[in-house]
Structure formats: structure tokens, C-alpha cells
Amino acid sequence: MAKFVLAGRADCPFYAKAEVLADYLQKNLPDFQIFKITQHPHVWEEWLKDLCEKNKWNHEDSPIIWRELLDRGGKGLLLGGYNEFLEHAQLYYGVTSSMTTELMKVIAQENLGSHIEKELEKEALKSLIDPLQVWITSASAPACYNLIPILTSGEVFGTRTEISITLFDNKQAEEHLNILAMETWDLVSPFLRSVSVCTRVEEAFLQAHVVIILDHPTDGEVYTLEDCLRSRVPMCRLYGYLIQKNAHDSVRVLVGGKTFVNLKAALLMRYAPNIAHNIIAVALGVEGEAKAALARKLKTTPSCIKDVIIWGNISGNSYVDLRKAKIYRYESAIWGPPHFSRPVLSLIFDSEWVNKDFVSTIKLLSTTGKQFGGILAAHSIATTLKYWYHGSPPEEIVSLGVLSEGQFGIPEGLVFSMPVKFENGTWVVLTDLEDIEISEEIMTRMTSDLIQEKLVALGDLIHFQPYQSENRSAEMDEKTTLPTTNDNQENRRVSDGI
């Protein structure tokens, strides 16, 4: 009996080709057995390294194939990669593979989707036994009070998942946290397994599956912007270290609130590099403020407006992009079915309002935090978390602060709000959107502030200098012509002075 193990990266085309060949051999040869293992691309290299160290093998690529010798009392015998497996099949069984490259890629993507789906099913089944561990930092903040009822409603994680909430804050807030924990327990939620309080730093984030970072008041008085920026570093250094040390390997970290959201996410990534891909900054609050302002102007409800994109610094120098924004169920001379929409810009004829009043309103809200209270912060965090677990609405654009990899011309390494979609338990940047190029002037303005924030916070820059346009008159009136009633002009750029 020949017992082989085929392991590979879930999205690897060569694993897909080897898998098809192995399935054929197992089906047609009674003495041939295959056991298959797939790993997510994010963990494949580490998994392979551990496997090779354990068995004293030398192999670096996907897939890896070995023969099990358990029936002989020995360890596995390394065969090699795809080429070695193909040679083995030709030599011993007279079988080869003629699969095309295109088909290999198709099957590889199907394998990745199946792997993610199976992992989600495992997590769901496990949650029926072990509850999802949710940690909330700065739990004495008002946002936490509004967030807890949403988390325990079953709407965020699903009605088949139980959660355990841990409220984390400093010792001075312990009495308030105990009262909040009792009130949470009084909700009698069928989805809440337990609620506890933690004020001991060394115990923070133990086995956490979800960590929600809320705004944290700085200790003592802070007189300058530079001091405020630097005051974020100690907390993020501590949290990053503890999350990486104590939390679950697949922990998901959300940074919400109204102060230095991008900076805090970037610092956490710096001090918790192993989980950097699972740290995001919540931008739905600013997106909601923009939709509400548009709805007031158009005399409709904010929920009817979709695809508003927030670029850049979520709690600072951002750009609200309306080029893709659509409005549904709008009362006008033109009506259609529920899925019928019209470009928002084609319905606003007041260019003065779009380029000045709208700009100044959103800028005031994002830079001062006015109207961004506990309700809005809690709702934006909960909605982002819901999308992360269950996917965002199909065909809908969501704004999210993520680590740039150079998309849209954004410098690599910046936490930058950009358009994404959530699917299969992760997020994907929508790089295929058309006609959303950002001018060099706007990009420089946004990236300059983000780069300086990080440099000042880390002590590499003494003073923060707000970006000043070379052309002051252009800076004071950065706008383009507003579209007329022609719906095809939806991609025209509106004010970028936000």
C-alpha cells in the first residue's frame, strides 16, 4: 500500500495540478492512497518551515509530497515537489498530466475558496463549543456602552456564535467596568457566554479572537500636537506586544474612534508585525457623516446613498470621493426598480454647495470629531466587524483603512483609507475600479500628513508641518466642474479640499 501526503498553498497552481493527478491515481489504483493538506497563503511559509524542521527535510516551495511509512514504524519519506511527484507517477505507474496552465489557475482559485469556506465552517463549529473571545480596550469610553448591545444582538457574529466579552481598561476605571459588566449581563442575551473585567496588563488579550481599540484619553495634560502624537506610542507599543504574545493566531484587530486612527493602526502593525495583515482602521464613521450630509441636501435618507469613498487619513486630512456615489429609491421624475440607481453628482446642481459647504462640513467633522460620538463610533465598528465575518453587500464599495502595498499610487507602508470589499472572511482592495485616479496634489497632501504623523510620533521629526500647496489659490478652491443632469458624467471629480 502506497500512502502519500500532498500538502500545498491553497492558491498554488502546481498543487492543483498535483491534486488532480493524485486523485486519478487513487481512483484507478487500489493500492494508492492520498491524504491532502491545504494551508492559507498567509500561513503557508511558516507551516512549511515547521514541518521541515520537525522532519529534518529541505524543501521551500509548494507543493510538498511525502510518503508515509507509519506501517513500518518510520517517519515520512520526502518525495519532493510537483516535478518529483510527476516523475514518480510516470516511472512507477506510467501516468502523466497534460493540464493547461489556465486550468491550473482556475482550480487553484477554487481550492482557495474551498479552503477558506472550510476554515470558516470549522470556526463556526468551534464557536459552538468555545465562545469567540472579544476584547474591548478603553472600555470606560462612551463608545463601549453603545457597542455592547450591538455585539450581543447576534447581528455581528451571527446567531450560531456565542461570544465572551472582556472589558479592558486601567485600574482607575475598574468600578465603572464592573457596573458595565453587570448591566451587560442583565441584557440576558442568548449569544453572550460571559462578560468579565480586566485591569491587569499582563493578562490582556489572552486567547483573543477580536480586539477592538477605542479612543484612549492621554494621561496628563498635552499642550501640543506633537506631544499628542508621541503620547500614542507607549500604548500602541504595549498593546502590539501583548496582542502578538497573548492573542489567538488569527486575531482580528479593529482601530476605531475619532483621533489618529490611521496612526494607531500603523503603530500596532509596527509592534505586532506577525498579525499586521489583520489590523484595520475603521472608516465607516466618516463615510456615514458624508452620506448624511448628502442626504440632507437631497432630502432623502442616508441609507439610500452608496459607494461614497473615503481616501487617506480617516481622522484628519481625507478626501471624500463622490465620483462613484449612487442614490437608490430617489423621489424624482425618473423612477425604477429597487436596484435602479442614479449618480449622486448628477442630482446636485449647486456646485457652490458641493465644492465649499460640503467640503467644509466634512472637514470640520473629521478634524474636530464633532458629532462623532459613542453611537456613531460603535455602529461603524460593529458594521465593519460584521462585514469582516460575513461579507459586505454585493457590488457595494466600503471604505477601510489598510496597509498600502502601492495601490492607486499610494506610497507603500502607509495605513490609508481606500475602497475595499469584504468576502470570505477577509478584505480585498478594489484596484479594478475605473476612473478613480487621484491627482498628485491631493495624494501629496494626504500622504504628507500621514508620513509626518508617524515620524513625529516615533521621534524622527520634531515639528509637524501641515502640507501647504505650492499654488495657494488652487488649494483654496480645489474643484472641478460639477456634472449636469447627464448620468454618464458620474465619474467627474468633485471638491478635493477635504
Side-chain angles (χ1 to χ4, degrees), residues 199-250:
T199 59
R200 294 172 58 86
V201 172
E202 61 271 19
E203 297 176 359
F205 313 122
L206 286 174
Q207 297 303 311
H209 297 98
V210 175
V211 176
I212 300 171
I213 309 291
L214 299 180
D215 280 329
H216 181 76
T218 55
D219 295 328
E221 295 185 4
V222 177
Y223 296 99
T224 67
L225 172 61
E226 288 81 2
D227 288 340
C228 197
L229 289 168
R230 295 183 185 109
S231 70
R232 266 59 188 178
V233 175
M235 181 200 72
C236 291
R237 182 191 296 118
L238 178 63
Y239 284 5
Y241 167 76
L242 291 171
I243 292 172
Q244 184 164 285
K245 176 176 179 287
N246 295 338
H248 195 274
D249 291 340
S250 60

Side-chain angles (χ1 to χ4, degrees), residues 99-118:
M99 183 184 295
T100 63
T101 302
E102 290 75 14
L103 183 57
M104 288 167 59
K105 292 180 179 178
V106 170
I107 296 177
Q109 290 305 309
E110 291 178 353
N111 283 343
L112 178 60
S114 299
H115 175 82
I116 293 174
E117 186 176 339
K118 289 178 181 178

Side-chain angles (χ1 to χ4, degrees), residues 52-64:
C52 291
E53 287 181 355
K54 178 182 178 181
N55 292 280
K56 294 181 173 56
W57 293 339
N58 183 18
H59 190 82
E60 298 179 352
D61 303 317
S62 172
I64 180 172

Side-chain angles (χ1 to χ4, degrees), residues 218-387:
T218 55
D219 295 328
E221 295 185 4
V222 177
Y223 296 99
T224 67
L225 172 61
E226 288 81 2
D227 288 340
C228 197
L229 289 168
R230 295 183 185 109
S231 70
R232 266 59 188 178
V233 175
M235 181 200 72
C236 291
R237 182 191 296 118
L238 178 63
Y239 284 5
Y241 167 76
L242 291 171
I243 292 172
Q244 184 164 285
K245 176 176 179 287
N246 295 338
H248 195 274
D249 291 340
S250 60
V251 63
R252 305 181 186 196
V253 182
L254 294 87
V255 182
K258 58 185 179 183
T259 57
F260 305 112
V261 177
N262 296 58
L263 174 63
K264 288 186 288 189
L267 291 174
L268 286 171
M269 293 176 185
R270 177 185 178 90
Y271 297 116
N274 293 348
I275 58 166
H277 62 279
N278 265 4
I279 300 175
I280 61 175
V282 178
L284 289 186
V286 181
E287 187 179 311
E289 290 175 334
K291 290 178 179 178
L294 292 168
R296 286 191 291 269
K297 180 65 177 178
L298 294 170
K299 295 181 173 56
T300 185
T301 58
S303 63
C304 293
I305 299 174
K306 309 290 184 183
D307 299 345
V308 173
I309 302 174
I310 308 299
W311 296 94
N313 194 345
I314 297 165
S315 51
N317 215 336
S318 61
Y319 166 38
V320 180
D321 191 346
L322 303 182
R323 289 173 291 179
K324 294 294 182 182
K326 302 181 183 68
I327 185 170
Y328 294 80
R329 303 188 300 277
Y330 185 62
E331 295 184 9
S332 65
I334 302 176
W335 281 81
H339 62 272
F340 174 75
S341 67
R342 299 179 66 186
V344 166
L345 292 180
S346 69
L347 300 172
I348 302 178
F349 305 100
D350 186 353
S351 60
E352 185 79 6
W353 180 87
V354 173
N355 293 311
K356 289 188 177 180
D357 295 347
F358 177 69
V359 169
S360 60
T361 297
I362 303 302
K363 184 175 183 179
L364 178 66
L365 293 174
S366 62
T367 56
T368 65
K370 290 183 177 180
Q371 296 185 18
F372 199 92
I375 294 177
L376 182 55
H379 183 267
S380 59
I381 290 169
T383 303
T384 304
L385 198 51
K386 176 183 177 181
Y387 290 169

Side-chain angles (χ1 to χ4, degrees), residues 405-465:
E405 297 178 353
Q407 307 97 325
F408 308 109
I410 303 166
E412 292 186 27
L414 286 183
V415 174
F416 202 92
S417 180
M418 61 184 77
V420 307
K421 66 177 178 180
F422 287 90
E423 61 180 7
N424 298 323
T426 188
W427 46 265
V428 179
V429 178
L430 297 176
T431 55
D432 57 346
L433 291 177
E434 298 180 353
D435 302 318
I436 59 168
E437 292 80 10
I438 304 175
S439 72
E440 183 179 352
E441 172 72 20
I442 303 173
M443 182 64 74
T444 302
R445 174 169 51 81
M446 291 188 292
T447 57
S448 173
D449 284 0
L450 285 171
I451 292 171
Q452 285 193 79
E453 281 187 2
K454 189 173 181 180
L455 291 175
V456 171
L458 295 173
D460 296 326
L461 188 66
I462 297 175
H463 298 294
F464 182 92
Q465 296 291 337

Side-chain angles (χ1 to χ4, degrees), residues 38-153:
T38 59
Q39 295 292 335
H40 194 280
H42 288 157
V43 302
W44 163 253
E45 290 186 3
E46 185 176 352
W47 183 89
L48 179 63
K49 180 180 178 181
D50 291 342
L51 175 72
C52 291
E53 287 181 355
K54 178 182 178 181
N55 292 280
K56 294 181 173 56
W57 293 339
N58 183 18
H59 190 82
E60 298 179 352
D61 303 317
S62 172
I64 180 172
I65 301 105
W66 69 91
R67 184 170 180 177
E68 289 287 359
L69 302 175
L70 297 179
D71 54 340
R72 303 182 189 178
K75 69 174 184 178
L77 178 65
L78 178 64
L79 181 61
Y82 166 73
N83 290 329
E84 289 77 12
F85 182 59
L86 185 62
E87 292 174 1
H88 182 86
Q90 289 176 323
L91 179 63
Y92 286 91
Y93 310 115
V95 178
T96 188
S97 174
S98 59
M99 183 184 295
T100 63
T101 302
E102 290 75 14
L103 183 57
M104 288 167 59
K105 292 180 179 178
V106 170
I107 296 177
Q109 290 305 309
E110 291 178 353
N111 283 343
L112 178 60
S114 299
H115 175 82
I116 293 174
E117 186 176 339
K118 289 178 181 178
E119 289 298 311
L120 292 175
E121 289 177 357
K122 289 180 182 178
E123 289 295 327
L125 291 173
K126 186 177 179 181
S127 67
L128 297 176
I129 303 172
D130 299 324
L132 200 69
Q133 299 292 333
V134 180
W135 283 70
I136 306 175
T137 72
S138 305
S140 59
C144 183
Y145 193 85
N146 295 279
L147 180 61
I148 288 174
I150 308 176
L151 297 180
T152 58
S153 67

